[in-house]
Amino acid sequence: GNGSYVSLFEISPVHEGRFVTYRKLDRNLVEFRIFKPDARMISLVGDFNNWNPENDLLEKGPDGIWRIQKRLGRGTHRYKYIIDGRWHPDYNNNSSASDEMGSVCSLVRIQ
């Protein structure tokens, strides 16, 4: 009698595209992401895991994006990806620094 309507619709899945970088999911929970559909293996290395390539292996999604979630302590953390045996910074992250060897690495800050 009052002329109201109810609409139903489905939300289509969000496609993140190729230019993904890390994102903060919670205060100290970070999801590291990289688009490399042709890679065979990717690991995350940084000062939070002593740059050990065996500690944090990413998982590949059907969208070609590799992901891993990590809880990090407060502060600034340096990191890189090892993609099929080769070390790379996160090219889509604008924050960078140098590592102990003088090469470029990426930064993530936890407040």
Side-chain angles (χ1 to χ4, degrees):
N2 294 327
S4 64
Y5 294 93
V6 175
S7 298
L8 298 175
F9 65 94
E10 284 188 37
I11 299 174
S12 60
V14 175
H15 298 286
E16 296 182 277
R18 299 174 180 213
F19 305 108
V20 295
T21 185
Y22 76 90
R23 66 180 173 182
K24 295 178 185 175
L25 301 176
D26 197 357
R27 184 184 55 171
N28 66 342
L29 181 63
V30 178
E31 182 177 60
F32 292 90
R33 307 172 302 162
I34 185 168
F35 179 79
K36 288 290 181 186
D38 297 330
R40 293 174 295 151
M41 185 159 94
I42 300 179
S43 64
L44 174 68
V45 294
D47 49 19
F48 46 82
N49 67 5
N50 293 322
W51 303 93
N52 187 334
E54 297 176 3
N55 284 352
D56 296 309
L57 298 176
L58 283 73
E59 291 186 25
K60 183 179 177 182
D63 54 2
I65 298 174
W66 294 71
R67 297 173 175 88
I68 188 171
Q69 293 181 6
K70 295 275 302 167
R71 290 213 179 270
L72 300 177
R74 292 181 68 175
T76 301
H77 304 278
R78 298 176 297 167
Y79 72 96
K80 286 186 177 186
Y81 294 109
I82 301 179
I83 304 167
D84 295 333
R86 301 190 63 174
W87 294 59
H88 299 274
D90 183 347
Y91 294 114
N92 294 316
N93 180 351
N94 293 330
S95 297
S96 63
S98 61
D99 58 18
E100 287 84 11
M101 305 303 284
S103 62
V104 176
C105 62
S106 302
L107 298 176
V108 59
R109 290 179 180 87
I110 305 298
Q111 308 261 335

